[in-house]
Amino acid sequence: SAVISQKPSRDICQRGTSLTIQCQVDSQVTMMFWYRQQPGQSLTLIATANQGSEATYESGFVIDKFPISRPNLTFSTLTVSNMSPEDSSIYLCSVGQGGGYTFGSGTRLTVV
Amino acid sequence: QKEVEQNSGPLSVPEGAIASLNCTYSDRGSQSFFWYRQYSGKSPELIMSIYSNGDKEDGRFTAQLNKASQYVSLLIRDSQPSDSATYLCGMEYGNKLVFGAGTILRVKS
């Protein structure tokens, strides 16, 4: 299965600022996924990122708040914009390959 | 919105017992289902995938799928304290994966 490198692993940010999270995959994949895991909750899909096209956002998530880039088949970024304390969560990227989905190690974001 | 329902628990079982985790889903068209285990502070790891009706066994784990009744279950035999974690039921539809709320399992020694 694919190996995903995600960074940063954690960050503490001031409200009103933005943070960009990066995911690098060790093989080419068509789709990459971004999830949010709020404290004590399950994973919620934010968007699907395809190379060469706009990301597809799930209900409740918008591009202005969570812009995504997908410049090639092995890399994607998620930006959390104009952050508020409610954005404090773990953000994970994922790829689907070979009958399962693999997750990055996650980015633990705290907004103060 | 496709939905996956899980009892959040916690489910407590004694060491050596069988733990039974259940999940129901709303989309009859879904074909693929996954069980993930997530330890506190870690990312989810895939335990089992199941695509057709019936049982699928892998070591101490058995996944069961009943598409007519729209439920998926995971049985863990000979439960160990190291099995204590949150178990996430995932449903794939439209080339994306959505999860239930997750069930907390506690195995007591």
Side-chain angles (χ1 to χ4, degrees), chain B residues 32-69:
Chain B
S32 303
F33 300 87
F34 304 87
W35 282 100
Y36 283 80
R37 177 175 63 196
Q38 186 176 28
Y39 292 113
S40 180
K42 302 295 185 182
S43 59
E45 56 179 327
L46 180 65
I47 300 174
M48 296 279 288
S49 58
I50 187 165
Y51 309 110
S52 56
N53 280 324
D55 296 358
K56 179 181 178 182
E57 186 174 320
D58 184 0
R60 295 187 296 114
F61 299 96
T62 299
Q64 300 173 320
L65 174 59
N66 184 322
K67 292 187 178 181
S69 300

mmCIF file of all heavy atoms in Angstrom, chain B residues 32-69:
data_model
loop_
_atom_site.group_PDB
_atom_site.id
_atom_site.type_symbol
_atom_site.label_atom_id
_atom_site.label_comp_id
_atom_site.label_asym_id
_atom_site.label_seq_id
_atom_site.Cartn_x
_atom_site.Cartn_y
_atom_site.Cartn_z
ATOM 1 N N SER B 32 -18.561 -1.518 -1.151
ATOM 2 C CA SER B 32 -17.320 -1.797 -0.422
ATOM 3 C C SER B 32 -17.382 -1.218 0.976
ATOM 4 O O SER B 32 -17.806 -0.072 1.167
ATOM 5 C CB SER B 32 -16.133 -1.173 -1.167
ATOM 6 O OG SER B 32 -16.071 -1.653 -2.492
ATOM 7 N N PHE B 33 -16.925 -2.033 1.920
ATOM 8 C CA PHE B 33 -16.965 -1.635 3.318
ATOM 9 C C PHE B 33 -15.644 -1.973 3.981
ATOM 10 O O PHE B 33 -14.980 -2.949 3.627
ATOM 11 C CB PHE B 33 -18.128 -2.349 4.032
ATOM 12 C CG PHE B 33 -19.452 -2.021 3.416
ATOM 13 C CD1 PHE B 33 -19.929 -2.768 2.348
ATOM 14 C CD2 PHE B 33 -20.194 -0.943 3.869
ATOM 15 C CE1 PHE B 33 -21.138 -2.458 1.742
ATOM 16 C CE2 PHE B 33 -21.409 -0.623 3.270
ATOM 17 C CZ PHE B 33 -21.874 -1.372 2.213
ATOM 18 N N PHE B 34 -15.282 -1.144 4.950
ATOM 19 C CA PHE B 34 -13.965 -1.263 5.571
ATOM 20 C C PHE B 34 -14.092 -1.080 7.078
ATOM 21 O O PHE B 34 -14.896 -0.284 7.552
ATOM 22 C CB PHE B 34 -13.018 -0.191 5.018
ATOM 23 C CG PHE B 34 -12.885 -0.214 3.514
ATOM 24 C CD1 PHE B 34 -13.764 0.490 2.709
ATOM 25 C CD2 PHE B 34 -11.877 -0.939 2.910
ATOM 26 C CE1 PHE B 34 -13.657 0.470 1.327
ATOM 27 C CE2 PHE B 34 -11.757 -0.965 1.523
ATOM 28 C CZ PHE B 34 -12.644 -0.262 0.739
ATOM 29 N N TRP B 35 -13.276 -1.829 7.790
ATOM 30 C CA TRP B 35 -13.135 -1.603 9.223
ATOM 31 C C TRP B 35 -11.725 -1.103 9.502
ATOM 32 O O TRP B 35 -10.743 -1.708 9.064
ATOM 33 C CB TRP B 35 -13.380 -2.899 9.997
ATOM 34 C CG TRP B 35 -14.834 -3.240 10.126
ATOM 35 C CD1 TRP B 35 -15.541 -4.137 9.376
ATOM 36 C CD2 TRP B 35 -15.761 -2.688 11.071
ATOM 37 N NE1 TRP B 35 -16.849 -4.172 9.791
ATOM 38 C CE2 TRP B 35 -17.013 -3.301 10.832
ATOM 39 C CE3 TRP B 35 -15.660 -1.741 12.095
ATOM 40 C CZ2 TRP B 35 -18.141 -2.990 11.583
ATOM 41 C CZ3 TRP B 35 -16.786 -1.440 12.839
ATOM 42 C CH2 TRP B 35 -18.011 -2.061 12.575
ATOM 43 N N TYR B 36 -11.670 0.004 10.231
ATOM 44 C CA TYR B 36 -10.401 0.592 10.629
ATOM 45 C C TYR B 36 -10.301 0.602 12.147
ATOM 46 O O TYR B 36 -11.302 0.758 12.849
ATOM 47 C CB TYR B 36 -10.284 2.038 10.118
ATOM 48 C CG TYR B 36 -9.944 2.151 8.650
ATOM 49 C CD1 TYR B 36 -10.929 1.990 7.678
ATOM 50 C CD2 TYR B 36 -8.642 2.394 8.237
ATOM 51 C CE1 TYR B 36 -10.621 2.084 6.333
ATOM 52 C CE2 TYR B 36 -8.322 2.497 6.888
ATOM 53 C CZ TYR B 36 -9.315 2.339 5.948
ATOM 54 O OH TYR B 36 -9.005 2.435 4.621
ATOM 55 N N ARG B 37 -9.090 0.475 12.616
ATOM 56 C CA ARG B 37 -8.796 0.607 14.040
ATOM 57 C C ARG B 37 -7.983 1.881 14.233
ATOM 58 O O ARG B 37 -7.040 2.153 13.487
ATOM 59 C CB ARG B 37 -7.996 -0.605 14.525
ATOM 60 C CG ARG B 37 -7.564 -0.545 15.969
ATOM 61 C CD ARG B 37 -6.892 -1.857 16.351
ATOM 62 N NE ARG B 37 -5.684 -2.079 15.574
ATOM 63 C CZ ARG B 37 -5.081 -3.267 15.480
ATOM 64 N NH1 ARG B 37 -5.598 -4.327 16.073
ATOM 65 N NH2 ARG B 37 -3.976 -3.390 14.765
ATOM 66 N N GLN B 38 -8.343 2.645 15.253
ATOM 67 C CA GLN B 38 -7.622 3.880 15.528
ATOM 68 C C GLN B 38 -7.285 3.944 17.009
ATOM 69 O O GLN B 38 -8.170 4.017 17.869
ATOM 70 C CB GLN B 38 -8.442 5.118 15.124
ATOM 71 C CG GLN B 38 -7.655 6.407 15.262
ATOM 72 C CD GLN B 38 -8.412 7.633 14.788
ATOM 73 O OE1 GLN B 38 -9.639 7.684 14.818
ATOM 74 N NE2 GLN B 38 -7.685 8.644 14.313
ATOM 75 N N TYR B 39 -5.984 3.899 17.283
ATOM 76 C CA TYR B 39 -5.520 4.103 18.643
ATOM 77 C C TYR B 39 -5.462 5.595 18.916
ATOM 78 O O TYR B 39 -5.292 6.407 18.001
ATOM 79 C CB TYR B 39 -4.142 3.480 18.837
ATOM 80 C CG TYR B 39 -4.123 1.974 18.774
ATOM 81 C CD1 TYR B 39 -3.478 1.292 17.745
ATOM 82 C CD2 TYR B 39 -4.737 1.215 19.764
ATOM 83 C CE1 TYR B 39 -3.459 -0.083 17.689
ATOM 84 C CE2 TYR B 39 -4.720 -0.175 19.715
ATOM 85 C CZ TYR B 39 -4.079 -0.816 18.674
ATOM 86 O OH TYR B 39 -4.069 -2.182 18.619
ATOM 87 N N SER B 40 -5.586 5.937 20.178
ATOM 88 C CA SER B 40 -5.595 7.348 20.578
ATOM 89 C C SER B 40 -4.327 8.053 20.089
ATOM 90 O O SER B 40 -3.207 7.577 20.316
ATOM 91 C CB SER B 40 -5.702 7.463 22.095
ATOM 92 O OG SER B 40 -5.720 8.810 22.499
ATOM 93 N N GLY B 41 -4.505 9.149 19.382
ATOM 94 C CA GLY B 41 -3.373 9.926 18.898
ATOM 95 C C GLY B 41 -2.735 9.395 17.627
ATOM 96 O O GLY B 41 -1.731 9.945 17.165
ATOM 97 N N LYS B 42 -3.309 8.349 17.069
ATOM 98 C CA LYS B 42 -2.758 7.749 15.848
ATOM 99 C C LYS B 42 -3.757 7.864 14.707
ATOM 100 O O LYS B 42 -4.932 8.142 14.918
ATOM 101 C CB LYS B 42 -2.411 6.281 16.093
ATOM 102 C CG LYS B 42 -1.425 6.043 17.215
ATOM 103 C CD LYS B 42 -0.068 6.625 16.889
ATOM 104 C CE LYS B 42 0.956 6.272 17.955
ATOM 105 N NZ LYS B 42 2.286 6.880 17.655
ATOM 106 N N SER B 43 -3.288 7.635 13.495
ATOM 107 C CA SER B 43 -4.183 7.651 12.352
ATOM 108 C C SER B 43 -4.820 6.271 12.172
ATOM 109 O O SER B 43 -4.315 5.278 12.691
ATOM 110 C CB SER B 43 -3.428 8.071 11.090
ATOM 111 O OG SER B 43 -2.371 7.198 10.812
ATOM 112 N N PRO B 44 -5.937 6.194 11.486
ATOM 113 C CA PRO B 44 -6.632 4.914 11.315
ATOM 114 C C PRO B 44 -5.802 3.922 10.507
ATOM 115 O O PRO B 44 -5.100 4.307 9.563
ATOM 116 C CB PRO B 44 -7.904 5.309 10.547
ATOM 117 C CG PRO B 44 -8.067 6.763 10.781
ATOM 118 C CD PRO B 44 -6.694 7.313 10.888
ATOM 119 N N GLU B 45 -5.909 2.662 10.875
ATOM 120 C CA GLU B 45 -5.249 1.601 10.123
ATOM 121 C C GLU B 45 -6.287 0.569 9.705
ATOM 122 O O GLU B 45 -7.183 0.207 10.475
ATOM 123 C CB GLU B 45 -4.135 0.944 10.948
ATOM 124 C CG GLU B 45 -4.587 0.389 12.278
ATOM 125 C CD GLU B 45 -3.465 -0.272 13.047
ATOM 126 O OE1 GLU B 45 -2.563 -0.852 12.419
ATOM 127 O OE2 GLU B 45 -3.504 -0.207 14.295
ATOM 128 N N LEU B 46 -6.166 0.100 8.489
ATOM 129 C CA LEU B 46 -7.135 -0.828 7.921
ATOM 130 C C LEU B 46 -6.997 -2.216 8.545
ATOM 131 O O LEU B 46 -5.907 -2.776 8.624
ATOM 132 C CB LEU B 46 -6.928 -0.919 6.405
ATOM 133 C CG LEU B 46 -7.867 -1.848 5.640
ATOM 134 C CD1 LEU B 46 -9.308 -1.348 5.715
ATOM 135 C CD2 LEU B 46 -7.420 -1.965 4.186
ATOM 136 N N ILE B 47 -8.125 -2.747 9.001
ATOM 137 C CA ILE B 47 -8.158 -4.107 9.533
ATOM 138 C C ILE B 47 -8.729 -5.060 8.496
ATOM 139 O O ILE B 47 -8.147 -6.110 8.208
ATOM 140 C CB ILE B 47 -9.020 -4.193 10.804
ATOM 141 C CG1 ILE B 47 -8.490 -3.293 11.902
ATOM 142 C CG2 ILE B 47 -9.104 -5.624 11.300
ATOM 143 C CD1 ILE B 47 -9.407 -3.259 13.107
ATOM 144 N N MET B 48 -9.892 -4.723 7.980
ATOM 145 C CA MET B 48 -10.593 -5.638 7.074
ATOM 146 C C MET B 48 -11.333 -4.830 6.014
ATOM 147 O O MET B 48 -11.821 -3.738 6.275
ATOM 148 C CB MET B 48 -11.633 -6.467 7.834
ATOM 149 C CG MET B 48 -11.089 -7.393 8.880
ATOM 150 S SD MET B 48 -10.467 -8.909 8.160
ATOM 151 C CE MET B 48 -11.998 -9.722 7.690
ATOM 152 N N SER B 49 -11.446 -5.416 4.844
ATOM 153 C CA SER B 49 -12.332 -4.910 3.818
ATOM 154 C C SER B 49 -13.269 -6.042 3.424
ATOM 155 O O SER B 49 -12.892 -7.224 3.496
ATOM 156 C CB SER B 49 -11.541 -4.445 2.597
ATOM 157 O OG SER B 49 -10.767 -5.504 2.072
ATOM 158 N N ILE B 50 -14.488 -5.704 3.044
ATOM 159 C CA ILE B 50 -15.445 -6.726 2.633
ATOM 160 C C ILE B 50 -16.332 -6.156 1.553
ATOM 161 O O ILE B 50 -16.773 -4.994 1.640
ATOM 162 C CB ILE B 50 -16.252 -7.268 3.841
ATOM 163 C CG1 ILE B 50 -17.119 -8.459 3.421
ATOM 164 C CG2 ILE B 50 -17.072 -6.174 4.495
ATOM 165 C CD1 ILE B 50 -17.646 -9.263 4.601
ATOM 166 N N TYR B 51 -16.575 -6.959 0.525
ATOM 167 C CA TYR B 51 -17.283 -6.459 -0.648
ATOM 168 C C TYR B 51 -18.528 -7.273 -0.986
ATOM 169 O O TYR B 51 -19.414 -6.787 -1.679
ATOM 170 C CB TYR B 51 -16.358 -6.471 -1.864
ATOM 171 C CG TYR B 51 -15.031 -5.801 -1.621
ATOM 172 C CD1 TYR B 51 -13.862 -6.549 -1.543
ATOM 173 C CD2 TYR B 51 -14.946 -4.422 -1.448
ATOM 174 C CE1 TYR B 51 -12.650 -5.932 -1.308
ATOM 175 C CE2 TYR B 51 -13.728 -3.811 -1.212
ATOM 176 C CZ TYR B 51 -12.580 -4.574 -1.148
ATOM 177 O OH TYR B 51 -11.381 -3.966 -0.918
ATOM 178 N N SER B 52 -18.596 -8.512 -0.529
ATOM 179 C CA SER B 52 -19.726 -9.363 -0.892
ATOM 180 C C SER B 52 -20.395 -9.915 0.354
ATOM 181 O O SER B 52 -19.786 -9.965 1.433
ATOM 182 C CB SER B 52 -19.248 -10.508 -1.796
ATOM 183 O OG SER B 52 -18.221 -11.233 -1.180
ATOM 184 N N ASN B 53 -21.632 -10.312 0.214
ATOM 185 C CA ASN B 53 -22.388 -10.865 1.335
ATOM 186 C C ASN B 53 -21.678 -12.067 1.941
ATOM 187 O O ASN B 53 -21.064 -12.865 1.234
ATOM 188 C CB ASN B 53 -23.782 -11.290 0.877
ATOM 189 C CG ASN B 53 -24.734 -10.110 0.767
ATOM 190 O OD1 ASN B 53 -24.681 -9.172 1.554
ATOM 191 N ND2 ASN B 53 -25.596 -10.163 -0.228
ATOM 192 N N GLY B 54 -21.790 -12.164 3.255
ATOM 193 C CA GLY B 54 -21.209 -13.307 3.924
ATOM 194 C C GLY B 54 -20.128 -12.894 4.893
ATOM 195 O O GLY B 54 -20.073 -11.757 5.343
ATOM 196 N N ASP B 55 -19.291 -13.858 5.220
ATOM 197 C CA ASP B 55 -18.225 -13.660 6.189
ATOM 198 C C ASP B 55 -16.868 -13.650 5.512
ATOM 199 O O ASP B 55 -16.641 -14.339 4.524
ATOM 200 C CB ASP B 55 -18.241 -14.788 7.234
ATOM 201 C CG ASP B 55 -19.508 -14.792 8.068
ATOM 202 O OD1 ASP B 55 -20.356 -13.900 7.872
ATOM 203 O OD2 ASP B 55 -19.652 -15.694 8.907
ATOM 204 N N LYS B 56 -15.965 -12.878 6.102
ATOM 205 C CA LYS B 56 -14.571 -12.868 5.668
ATOM 206 C C LYS B 56 -13.716 -12.898 6.909
ATOM 207 O O LYS B 56 -13.878 -12.058 7.793
ATOM 208 C CB LYS B 56 -14.270 -11.610 4.834
ATOM 209 C CG LYS B 56 -12.837 -11.515 4.374
ATOM 210 C CD LYS B 56 -12.610 -10.234 3.574
ATOM 211 C CE LYS B 56 -11.163 -10.098 3.144
ATOM 212 N NZ LYS B 56 -10.930 -8.833 2.403
ATOM 213 N N GLU B 57 -12.826 -13.877 6.975
ATOM 214 C CA GLU B 57 -12.032 -14.089 8.173
ATOM 215 C C GLU B 57 -10.571 -13.771 7.910
ATOM 216 O O GLU B 57 -10.021 -14.077 6.849
ATOM 217 C CB GLU B 57 -12.182 -15.536 8.646
ATOM 218 C CG GLU B 57 -11.504 -15.841 9.963
ATOM 219 C CD GLU B 57 -11.812 -17.254 10.443
ATOM 220 O OE1 GLU B 57 -12.962 -17.703 10.302
ATOM 221 O OE2 GLU B 57 -10.871 -17.914 10.934
ATOM 222 N N ASP B 58 -9.940 -13.162 8.907
ATOM 223 C CA ASP B 58 -8.499 -12.879 8.839
ATOM 224 C C ASP B 58 -7.967 -12.942 10.254
ATOM 225 O O ASP B 58 -8.138 -11.997 11.034
ATOM 226 C CB ASP B 58 -8.252 -11.507 8.213
ATOM 227 C CG ASP B 58 -6.760 -11.221 8.029
ATOM 228 O OD1 ASP B 58 -5.919 -12.089 8.378
ATOM 229 O OD2 ASP B 58 -6.417 -10.131 7.530
ATOM 230 N N GLY B 59 -7.369 -14.082 10.588
ATOM 231 C CA GLY B 59 -6.858 -14.257 11.943
ATOM 232 C C GLY B 59 -7.971 -14.216 12.969
ATOM 233 O O GLY B 59 -8.944 -14.962 12.869
ATOM 234 N N ARG B 60 -7.867 -13.328 13.939
ATOM 235 C CA ARG B 60 -8.895 -13.236 14.985
ATOM 236 C C ARG B 60 -10.086 -12.373 14.563
ATOM 237 O O ARG B 60 -11.049 -12.246 15.324
ATOM 238 C CB ARG B 60 -8.277 -12.631 16.249
ATOM 239 C CG ARG B 60 -7.204 -13.492 16.907
ATOM 240 C CD ARG B 60 -6.766 -12.908 18.251
ATOM 241 N NE ARG B 60 -6.130 -11.603 18.125
ATOM 242 C CZ ARG B 60 -6.640 -10.476 18.611
ATOM 243 N NH1 ARG B 60 -7.811 -10.478 19.236
ATOM 244 N NH2 ARG B 60 -5.991 -9.340 18.468
ATOM 245 N N PHE B 61 -10.022 -11.800 13.389
ATOM 246 C CA PHE B 61 -11.059 -10.885 12.926
ATOM 247 C C PHE B 61 -11.956 -11.549 11.878
ATOM 248 O O PHE B 61 -11.480 -12.239 10.980
ATOM 249 C CB PHE B 61 -10.432 -9.636 12.311
ATOM 250 C CG PHE B 61 -9.574 -8.846 13.264
ATOM 251 C CD1 PHE B 61 -8.205 -9.021 13.294
ATOM 252 C CD2 PHE B 61 -10.146 -7.932 14.133
ATOM 253 C CE1 PHE B 61 -7.413 -8.292 14.176
ATOM 254 C CE2 PHE B 61 -9.364 -7.201 15.020
ATOM 255 C CZ PHE B 61 -7.993 -7.386 15.040
ATOM 256 N N THR B 62 -13.253 -11.317 12.015
ATOM 257 C CA THR B 62 -14.220 -11.748 11.005
ATOM 258 C C THR B 62 -15.135 -10.586 10.685
ATOM 259 O O THR B 62 -15.766 -10.021 11.587
ATOM 260 C CB THR B 62 -15.069 -12.937 11.488
ATOM 261 O OG1 THR B 62 -14.220 -14.051 11.754
ATOM 262 C CG2 THR B 62 -16.094 -13.332 10.426
ATOM 263 N N ALA B 63 -15.194 -10.228 9.422
ATOM 264 C CA ALA B 63 -16.134 -9.203 8.971
ATOM 265 C C ALA B 63 -17.338 -9.902 8.349
ATOM 266 O O ALA B 63 -17.200 -10.925 7.675
ATOM 267 C CB ALA B 63 -15.468 -8.277 7.957
ATOM 268 N N GLN B 64 -18.504 -9.351 8.599
ATOM 269 C CA GLN B 64 -19.741 -9.898 8.060
ATOM 270 C C GLN B 64 -20.490 -8.781 7.342
ATOM 271 O O GLN B 64 -20.594 -7.667 7.859
ATOM 272 C CB GLN B 64 -20.605 -10.473 9.190
ATOM 273 C CG GLN B 64 -19.922 -11.594 9.960
ATOM 274 C CD GLN B 64 -20.741 -12.032 11.171
ATOM 275 O OE1 GLN B 64 -21.317 -11.206 11.869
ATOM 276 N NE2 GLN B 64 -20.788 -13.331 11.402
ATOM 277 N N LEU B 65 -21.035 -9.123 6.185
ATOM 278 C CA LEU B 65 -21.789 -8.148 5.403
ATOM 279 C C LEU B 65 -23.118 -8.741 5.006
ATOM 280 O O LEU B 65 -23.184 -9.868 4.504
ATOM 281 C CB LEU B 65 -21.002 -7.745 4.150
ATOM 282 C CG LEU B 65 -21.707 -6.834 3.134
ATOM 283 C CD1 LEU B 65 -22.127 -5.513 3.752
ATOM 284 C CD2 LEU B 65 -20.808 -6.600 1.921
ATOM 285 N N ASN B 66 -24.176 -7.991 5.237
ATOM 286 C CA ASN B 66 -25.518 -8.375 4.833
ATOM 287 C C ASN B 66 -26.117 -7.188 4.088
ATOM 288 O O ASN B 66 -26.593 -6.231 4.702
ATOM 289 C CB ASN B 66 -26.360 -8.748 6.051
ATOM 290 C CG ASN B 66 -27.741 -9.251 5.667
ATOM 291 O OD1 ASN B 66 -28.365 -8.747 4.741
ATOM 292 N ND2 ASN B 66 -28.218 -10.252 6.385
ATOM 293 N N LYS B 67 -26.082 -7.232 2.773
ATOM 294 C CA LYS B 67 -26.536 -6.095 1.978
ATOM 295 C C LYS B 67 -28.047 -5.926 2.017
ATOM 296 O O LYS B 67 -28.546 -4.807 1.943
ATOM 297 C CB LYS B 67 -26.048 -6.232 0.535
ATOM 298 C CG LYS B 67 -24.541 -6.079 0.402
ATOM 299 C CD LYS B 67 -24.108 -6.043 -1.059
ATOM 300 C CE LYS B 67 -22.610 -5.832 -1.169
ATOM 301 N NZ LYS B 67 -22.171 -5.758 -2.580
ATOM 302 N N ALA B 68 -28.778 -7.012 2.140
ATOM 303 C CA ALA B 68 -30.240 -6.908 2.199
ATOM 304 C C ALA B 68 -30.675 -6.152 3.443
ATOM 305 O O ALA B 68 -31.608 -5.343 3.402
ATOM 306 C CB ALA B 68 -30.860 -8.298 2.175
ATOM 307 N N SER B 69 -30.000 -6.397 4.547
ATOM 308 C CA SER B 69 -30.326 -5.722 5.803
ATOM 309 C C SER B 69 -29.482 -4.479 6.026
ATOM 310 O O SER B 69 -29.676 -3.762 7.012
ATOM 311 C CB SER B 69 -30.133 -6.687 6.978
ATOM 312 O OG SER B 69 -30.974 -7.817 6.842
#
